Amino acid sequence: MATQALLLAEYSIQPFYPSCSVPKVAMKCLALAMLWIVGILNSRGVKEVTGLQTVSMVLKVAILSLISLSGVYLLVRGKKENVARLQNAFDGEYPDASQIIEAVFQGYFAFSGGGCFTWVAGELKKPSKTIPRCIFTALPLVTMLYLLVNISYMTVLTPREILSSDAVAITWIDRVIPQLTWFIPFAISASLFSNLLINVLESTRGIYIAGQQGQLPLIFNTLNIHSSPLIPVLLNIIIGTIAIVLTNLIELINYLYFVLSIWTVLSMIGLLKLRYQEPDLPRPYKVFIPYIFITMAISLSMVLIPLFKSPKMHYIYVLLFLLSGLLLYIPLTYVKVKLVCFEKMTCYLQLLFNVCIPDKVDEKIQEETFLKRAF
């Protein structure tokens, strides 16, 4: 959420600073404002969120198609400078392993939407059909579209210009279609704003379910009068606020996908454990076993190479922060130690935020309503 808020702020402010970098303080202030606006909207239900997501998809595909088709046209015309830029795009020293891994982290950010549907898999009517369809249709299309967009960038801009630009799409538009200099940033910002809305929606579902299963305090298993999990939304917004204040976009993406690589390894271990211990457990869909080991190997390399090849202390801090969760998980969830103060705090927070724990009938109605609105 913090990365998307920072990216949204960067594209929103960049047109006002055409010849220089965006001031960091202004960008962070706008990112914080956008993040809290999104939190307020999410606390009021899902109807507006899903409508904006549809508009966002149309805007994103339209902008990326414009950039990619324009790049193809410039190459077909065969102008020497455009062809030369593309041919020389990869000239230079070959990056080392740690730089390649960090580049992969940045690429993962562009494809992060591919995992959103798994967070709401519990509400899908036919997950065994819907999830594979999403994987084998949407991801190849997005890959092809991003590939054409990058070719278009390298046809118009040099690698140095791409690296020095805070918003590459805006730099590209200034060079190729200057008449759209103001429209494109607006369209991208609108698209990123709805992305942020959806990110808050899907991430809070995981926290809400963890509260249902007793892996988090009971207060996280509550809903407000709009049937929204207000406490998970508030928690995510607060943590996102801290991340925006303390770091920048590029570093945050590297930290995020370093942690996600660790989570992926642990998830694959858990999947293998369940396959062995619970072979007859009902499963909406089953992953092919070799894919599990391939995913684990790739994710392990993304964890170990940054730690051993270029051991930045930031990665160590992120790893320690992740492991610190065990200090709470072991006594409160694994051992199930009961604390009286938690019950008093839950009652106080319920009154303060006007939230309550839904009963089974309410949950069924909410799930049906969510399905109708979102899917």
Side-chain angles (χ1 to χ4, degrees):
M1 289 185 294
T3 56
Q4 288 184 337
L6 285 167
L7 194 63
L8 167 60
E10 197 165 346
Y11 269 97
S12 301
I13 297 178
Q14 185 63 48
F16 297 98
Y17 297 89
S19 58
C20 60
S21 298
V22 174
K24 300 303 179 185
V25 175
M27 185 175 72
K28 290 192 174 188
C29 288
L30 181 58
L32 290 172
M34 293 295 183
L35 185 63
W36 280 91
I37 289 171
V38 164
I40 293 170
L41 289 174
N42 266 278
S43 68
R44 299 187 61 81
V46 300
K47 187 175 181 180
E48 296 83 0
V49 176
T50 51
L52 283 169
Q53 174 62 11
T54 303
V55 176
S56 164
M57 184 190 69
V58 174
L59 278 172
K60 280 184 288 191
V61 173
I63 294 167
L64 293 173
S65 299
L66 172 66
I67 294 173
S68 58
L69 292 175
S70 299
V72 171
Y73 173 72
L74 291 172
L75 283 178
V76 170
R77 283 179 59 191
K79 292 185 70 174
K80 290 183 178 180
E81 59 268 26
N82 293 330
V83 176
R85 284 195 190 97
L86 183 61
Q87 289 175 339
N88 300 328
F90 295 98
D91 289 350
E93 295 182 3
Y94 193 78
D96 61 33
S98 60
Q99 290 175 316
I100 292 174
I101 293 299
E102 290 190 351
V104 172
F105 287 160
Q106 301 298 317
Y108 267 7
F109 178 64
F111 284 87
S112 58
C116 289
F117 54 83
T118 59
W119 288 90
V120 292
E123 286 84 16
L124 289 174
K125 290 181 179 179
K126 298 179 180 178
S128 60
K129 294 182 178 180
T130 304
I131 292 178
R133 284 174 183 171
C134 291
I135 292 172
F136 292 111
T137 57
L139 288 181
L141 287 172
V142 171
T143 302
M144 183 58 64
L145 194 56
Y146 281 175
L147 178 62
L148 291 173
V149 167
N150 278 284
I151 290 174
S152 180
Y153 286 159
M154 291 185 290
T155 302
V156 176
L157 306 171
T158 64
R160 187 176 295 277
E161 289 173 328
I162 293 173
L163 288 172
S164 61
S165 174
D166 290 328
V168 182
I170 295 177
T171 306
W172 186 94
I173 288 292
D174 285 338
R175 191 73 56 85
V176 179
I177 317 174
Q179 297 86 350
L180 298 179
T181 299
W182 283 92
F183 171 74
I184 293 298
F186 168 77
I188 293 174
S189 298
S191 168
L192 290 171
F193 183 78
S194 68
N195 279 5
L196 187 57
L197 276 170
I198 292 296
N199 192 295
V200 176
L201 170 69
E202 53 94 5
S203 62
T204 53
R205 303 295 290 185
I207 296 176
Y208 177 70
I209 292 170
Q212 283 182 327
Q213 297 181 352
Q215 297 173 359
L216 286 175
L218 192 62
I219 189 65
F220 292 102
N221 181 27
T222 57
L223 300 173
N224 63 7
I225 57 174
H226 302 287
S227 297
S228 172
L230 176 62
I231 303 300
V233 170
L234 189 60
L235 174 68
N236 274 352
I237 297 300
I238 290 173
I239 294 176
T241 298
I242 296 171
I244 289 172
V245 171
L246 294 182
T247 186
N248 60 58
L249 179 61
I250 300 299
E251 289 181 352
L252 196 55
I253 292 174
N254 286 337
Y255 303 154
L256 171 63
Y257 287 98
F258 176 76
V259 171
L260 285 179
S261 298
I262 298 173
W263 285 347
T264 302
V265 172
L266 296 176
S267 298
M268 295 303 102
I269 293 172
L271 191 57
L272 290 172
K273 183 173 180 289
L274 280 176
R275 287 285 182 89
Y276 175 74
Q277 291 182 341
E278 303 282 351
D280 300 323
L281 193 70
R283 291 172 169 84
Y285 64 97
K286 295 182 74 170
V287 179
F288 191 42
I289 288 290
Y291 290 163
I292 297 176
F293 290 104
I294 293 171
T295 303
M296 194 182 300
I298 294 172
S299 299
L300 269 176
S301 67
M302 292 183 183
V303 173
L304 298 177
I305 290 176
L307 284 177
F308 292 104
K309 190 69 177 178
S310 58
K312 298 177 182 177
M313 286 305 298
H314 297 90
Y315 287 122
I316 306 297
Y317 295 149
V318 170
L319 182 60
L320 292 175
F321 178 75
L322 179 64
L323 294 175
S324 67
L326 293 172
L327 298 176
L328 293 174
Y329 174 81
I330 291 174
L332 299 178
T333 301
Y334 187 76
V335 182
K336 299 187 184 302
V337 174
K338 300 294 182 182
L339 298 177
V340 178
C341 61
F342 269 28
E343 295 180 5
K344 294 181 179 179
M345 191 182 301
T346 299
C347 293
Y348 175 76
L349 292 174
Q350 281 186 263
L351 293 170
L352 178 64
F353 293 106
N354 194 23
V355 294
C356 66
I357 300 167
D359 58 31
K360 296 297 180 183
V361 176
D362 289 339
E363 286 182 353
K364 186 175 181 180
I365 294 172
Q366 288 151 10
E367 285 185 7
E368 290 175 354
T369 304
F370 183 83
L371 281 168
K372 289 176 183 177
R373 290 176 175 177
F375 302 106

